Amino acid sequence: MKLLRFGPVGQEKPGILDTEGRLRDLSGVVPDITGDCLGDDGLARIAAIDTDSLPLAPEGVRIGACVGKIGKMIGIGLNYSDHAAEAGMPVPEQPIAFMKATSAICGPNDDLQIPQGSEKTDWEVELGVVIGKRAKYVSREAALDHVAGYCVVNDVSERAFQNDRGGQWMKGKCHDTFGPIGPWLVTRDEIADPQDLELWLEVDGHRYQQGNTGTMIFDVATLIAHLSEFMTLEPGDVITTGTPPGVGMGQKPEPVFLKAGQTVRLGVVGLGEQCQTTVPASR
């Protein structure tokens, strides 16, 4: 299934794509796409519905973040060895984790804000993992049983804020609109192997990133098991699993960063695409 949310910001309704790729309104079945309906029983209930009997969503409606009421968004850094190399950092021995503010989460095609004072706003296409079942001290072997599904994430980062302003990475990771997710959540039964997914990203038509999740240092199951040692993963939590090489700060001979008026397109094959226009941030 491909589950999503649509409508104005703060007023999103739950939706599902039918067999012909049309957006159907699920609000008569579930109140929202949140952790409450992402367990195996909740997903089975949705899967049993005749989607063709559901009302069609309005044509051209805005697509929101594919999960609502997210409790935690956890980022993983330097999870591709070639990305670590372009960042000039050693390959980590254990996963590097950071928190990304839930206020950064937005729809996949919403405007991407360039923060005031920013000179190094960067892009990062990533595979997002949505938790469906509470996970605490889970084994790697059982970890994927706790996944509801997968989605596209752009882990937007302001590199100067991240690396030069002191403290943790979160200063560069949490600005409004720095966490577009979606367009939809693809349930795990449709993804045969999360370690065999192609990722890509373009800015103004130029392809900067092209990778495959098979080259992750720490795979999805390892990340879930590892994180569950340090915190309880709750239904609806999102893990964004790291980016392949080709980010702006790694470009040669000079880094390339985003500025207002550009178009960022990205996707994960089988999980859909995002398209953002960069705009100056306002208060």
Side-chain angles (χ1 to χ4, degrees):
M1 293 183 294
K2 294 180 174 64
L3 304 176
L4 65 159
R5 300 167 70 246
F6 65 93
V9 176
Q11 302 176 44
E12 292 90 348
K13 293 182 177 182
I16 187 170
L17 292 191
D18 67 17
T19 54
E20 296 185 13
R22 296 173 297 187
L23 175 52
R24 299 280 184 165
D25 188 339
L26 261 182
S27 57
V29 181
V30 292
D32 201 354
I33 304 299
T34 65
D36 292 340
C37 71
L38 292 179
D40 290 345
D41 290 345
L43 293 177
R45 179 185 172 208
I46 296 172
I49 295 165
D50 175 12
T51 56
D52 291 342
S53 69
L54 299 172
L56 287 165
E59 195 74 27
V61 69
R62 170 187 173 270
I63 304 300
C66 58
V67 183
K69 299 181 181 178
I70 295 170
K72 296 188 288 296
M73 189 172 189
I74 306 161
I76 303 298
L78 304 177
N79 198 27
Y80 291 74
S81 58
D82 34 13
H83 172 55
E86 72 177 353
M89 302 181 73
V91 173
E93 296 182 3
Q94 295 192 38
I96 296 173
F98 58 89
M99 303 301 287
K100 202 167 173 80
T102 55
S103 56
I105 294 169
C106 65
N109 305 316
D110 291 346
D111 288 345
L112 194 167
Q113 297 181 20
I114 306 296
Q116 294 182 7
S118 167
E119 296 181 353
K120 297 181 179 181
T121 298
D122 205 347
W123 56 82
E124 295 187 35
V125 60
E126 304 196 2
L127 171 66
V129 179
V130 181
I131 298 298
K133 182 169 68 174
R134 183 178 182 271
K136 185 173 184 180
Y137 298 126
V138 299
S139 67
R140 182 185 178 281
E141 292 71 26
L144 295 185
D145 294 338
H146 295 259
V147 172
Y150 303 92
C151 63
V152 183
V153 179
N154 188 359
D155 176 22
V156 185
S157 308
E158 211 298 341
R159 302 301 186 186
F161 296 178
Q162 176 183 348
N163 298 321
D164 304 335
R165 297 292 295 272
Q168 300 177 343
W169 285 4
M170 61 180 294
K171 289 182 181 179
K173 297 284 189 176
C174 292
H175 192 272
D176 296 351
T177 75
F178 271 24
I181 67 170
W184 42 72
L185 181 161
V186 180
T187 51
R188 75 172 188 267
D189 59 294
E190 293 197 5
I191 303 300
D193 183 1
Q195 304 310 143
D196 187 22
L197 298 172
E198 294 288 327
L199 309 86
W200 58 272
L201 182 143
E202 299 175 351
V203 180
D204 291 339
H206 178 82
R207 182 153 297 196
Y208 284 97
Q209 290 190 276
Q210 184 76 52
N212 187 287
T213 56
T215 64
M216 284 181 182
I217 299 167
F218 306 104
D219 63 17
V220 171
T222 298
L223 293 175
I224 293 170
H226 181 78
L227 291 171
S228 77
E229 295 182 39
F230 306 103
M231 66 190 83
T232 300
L233 301 175
E234 299 285 358
D237 286 351
V238 175
I239 303 168
T240 184
T241 58
T243 198
V247 299
M249 71 174 179
Q251 298 303 307
K252 307 296 182 185
E254 297 291 337
V256 177
F257 296 111
L258 294 170
K259 56 184 183 295
Q262 295 185 293
T263 299
V264 182
R265 290 183 62 248
L266 61 146
V268 179
V269 175
L271 302 183
E273 298 182 10
Q274 301 184 357
C275 183
Q276 296 119 29
T277 299
T278 55
V279 299
S282 58
R283 292 184 181 275

